[in-house]
Amino acid sequence: GVQTCALPILVSIQQTLRHAQLWALSLLTTICLLTACNSKPPTPEDLYKEEASGVVMVLNKFYYNASLPNGEHLYFTGIANDGSLIGLTDDVNEIKRNCGFLTGTAFFIDNNGSLLTNRHVASPTIDEAQVKRCLMNMVQYVKSLYDARLSELVTQYDALEAQKENCVTTDYWGNTQVDQAQLSQIENEQEELQLQYTHLEQERGQINAQMNVANITIHPICQLGIAYNDSYVIDEDDFLQTNPCNTLRISQDEDTDLALIQLRSEQTPRKCHVFAVNGSNTNGNLFTQLFAKDNAPSPNKLKIDQTLYMIGFNAGIVLANTRKGIKVQMTSGRITQMPDGNRLLYSIPTMQGSSGSPVVDEWGNLVGVNFAKLNGSDNFNFGIPLQKVRNFVGK
């Protein structure tokens, strides 16, 4: 009797569940249709709120190491306007106390603390030919100092030689007398000058071998760290000690100004947005992921006059620093030239410090990485297109 009564109840429950599933499927279909017809990209404010947390300021504390053929090293931080090398020294401790600094922008691309930025931010380049010219000029200058000193020694030697005449006197009857003490002193001084001359001449001869500019190698020594949007920074330790980074990879393609760096913790903070290199934004809410992105234009099919946004730290700490911590800026512009697969040209204003900033479309999809501005213009700037970014990252 119990089994007979339970059967209708089970049937009723199954029918109720079936109706609920059909209702949910119908509702989902209706939402999809409505979204497909009416979905719009997020407002710039919403886009900023969603993605700004994934953009960080990079600080690079660096100097250059010039390795000489004789195993010695020279250190410097750059090239001055007059062509000289800034901070040139052979003391590594001195250069570490007087490093150069630069700032840029980077953004998270996975949950393992990996960040994408520009090569010239993570590993600043320098004109090696110009550096070698500076060193060659320095070598020539040092040689001229040696030549001047050698000439002085010759002049001093000749002057002593002339003084020897004063060591010999002749009396009325033609007898000569030699002041042996004075003569010995002069000859000792001449011998000392000869030793100095020989030593300096040997040193001068070694300069060419030791400072063969063609065989000098130059590379940057960098220390990287980051600071998060909305965080407070006071000095370099807030970057380099609090959030230190390692460089994972530097692009070897001259036309691809990209570098991959990583937090030493190898962990992206949960609060931080992650930009998807595959072109699909991963941090939006479920509704946005399921529906709104379906109508977003492909980041590989950009069009003239299409709106783009750049999220970065224009002018570095100068503009970023506020009473509420450092704040990333979002600037907008439009595509001004049909992309050729090698670069993006857009009218987004950029300044020093925005190198490495993500460039996104109106839906928040990554379309490129900012890397350069046209000299003398704030309205024509360049980005690395998405496909080149993918090729570098390996996705």
Side-chain angles (χ1 to χ4, degrees):
V2 175
Q3 293 178 349
T4 303
C5 294
L7 184 59
I9 296 175
L10 290 174
V11 171
S12 177
I13 292 174
Q14 289 176 345
Q15 289 176 343
T16 302
L17 290 174
R18 199 176 297 118
H19 286 307
Q21 290 173 345
L22 290 172
W23 178 84
L25 180 60
S26 176
L27 178 62
L28 190 61
T29 303
T30 301
I31 293 175
C32 286
L33 290 173
L34 289 173
T35 304
C37 295
N38 300 316
S39 64
K40 294 181 180 180
T43 65
E45 183 178 0
D46 288 339
L47 199 61
Y48 179 89
K49 289 180 180 178
E50 180 183 352
E51 300 192 338
S53 62
V55 183
V56 302
M57 185 185 295
V58 181
L59 179 71
N60 190 340
K61 181 180 180 181
F62 71 96
Y63 61 89
Y64 296 98
N65 178 2
S67 300
L68 308 181
N70 65 346
E72 299 295 330
H73 299 269
L74 294 175
Y75 310 99
F76 59 96
T77 58
I79 303 174
N81 292 331
D82 62 1
S84 62
L85 298 180
I86 301 173
L88 183 63
T89 179
D90 61 352
D91 186 343
V92 68
N93 293 318
E94 180 180 348
I95 199 65
K96 286 181 178 180
R97 292 191 297 269
N98 299 282
C99 285
F101 291 89
L102 64 83
T103 60
T105 302
F107 56 97
F108 287 104
I109 62 170
D110 62 27
N111 294 318
N112 302 318
S114 301
L115 299 130
L116 203 58
T117 187
N118 285 151
R119 175 177 53 210
H120 72 264
V121 172
S123 182
T125 58
I126 197 165
D127 187 338
E128 290 197 10
Q130 188 174 357
V131 172
K132 290 181 178 181
R133 284 195 296 271
C134 292
L135 292 174
M136 179 59 73
N137 291 337
M138 184 184 72
V139 169
Q140 296 302 326
Y141 176 70
V142 171
K143 284 184 177 180
S144 69
L145 294 179
Y146 272 95
D147 290 339
R149 181 54 182 157
L150 290 171
S151 179
E152 288 178 2
L153 292 176
V154 170
T155 300
Q156 292 175 14
Y157 187 94
D158 290 342
L160 288 173
E161 189 67 27
Q163 291 179 21
K164 288 182 179 180
E165 295 180 359
N166 299 329
C167 297
V168 179
T169 57
T170 304
D171 60 19
Y172 179 80
W173 292 276
N175 298 319
T176 59
Q177 290 183 342
V178 178
D179 187 340
Q180 290 295 337
Q182 185 179 2
L183 182 61
S184 295
Q185 181 179 352
I186 291 173
E187 289 177 342
N188 288 337
E189 291 179 11
Q190 284 183 316
E191 184 177 353
E192 178 62 28
L193 291 175
Q194 284 180 326
L195 291 174
Q196 291 183 39
Y197 188 94
T198 300
H199 180 70
L200 290 175
E201 196 173 38
Q202 289 175 346
E203 285 187 353
R204 188 189 184 285
Q206 293 173 353
I207 291 177
N208 284 333
Q210 295 178 350
M211 290 290 290
N212 186 348
V213 172
N215 296 328
I216 292 176
T217 59
I218 304 163
H219 61 278
I221 306 296
C222 302
Q223 187 178 359
L224 299 173
I226 65 169
Y228 298 103
N229 188 47
D230 292 330
S231 67
Y232 290 88
V233 294
I234 299 175
D235 54 32
E236 64 185 77
D237 287 345
D238 292 321
F239 294 86
L240 305 176
Q241 302 299 323
T242 306
N243 305 300
C245 294
N246 295 322
T247 300
L248 297 183
R249 192 187 318 157
I250 301 290
S251 174
Q252 300 303 310
D253 180 2
E254 184 177 349
D255 295 329
T256 305
D257 189 357
L258 290 173
L260 192 64
I261 65 176
Q262 185 180 41
L263 284 170
R264 289 184 186 171
S265 65
E266 298 185 7
Q267 195 168 34
T268 301
R270 295 181 65 181
K271 66 177 183 178
C272 293
H273 175 85
V274 175
F275 290 81
V277 176
N278 63 14
S280 177
N281 202 333
T282 61
N283 288 64
N285 56 47
L286 180 60
F287 182 84
T288 301
Q289 291 182 36
L290 288 176
F291 307 116
K293 298 297 180 181
D294 291 340
N295 286 335
S298 168
N300 288 323
K301 296 180 180 179
L302 301 175
K303 299 178 181 180
I304 287 289
D305 207 38
Q306 181 177 339
T307 299
L308 297 179
Y309 298 98
M310 184 184 75
I311 308 173
F313 290 95
N314 279 302
I317 200 70
V318 175
L319 287 183
N321 205 17
T322 74
R323 292 181 179 179
K324 296 183 179 181
I326 60 171
K327 298 285 185 181
V328 70
Q329 306 106 38
M330 188 169 82
T331 48
S332 64
R334 295 181 180 274
I335 294 177
T336 58
Q337 186 182 72
M338 283 297 294
D340 63 355
N342 189 53
R343 69 181 188 184
L344 297 176
L345 182 61
Y346 40 72
S347 60
I348 303 174
T350 65
M351 299 173 65
Q352 185 177 4
S354 63
S355 295
S357 299
V359 178
V360 300
D361 62 17
E362 58 266 51
W363 294 89
N365 290 319
L366 182 70
V367 299
V369 179
N370 186 65
F371 77 98
K373 64 182 295 181
L374 188 64
N375 289 335
S377 172
D378 291 328
N379 295 321
F380 294 98
N381 302 298
F382 299 104
I384 301 165
L386 180 61
Q387 189 56 53
K388 295 191 74 172
V389 175
R390 288 177 177 172
N391 292 342
F392 171 72
V393 174
K395 293 187 177 181

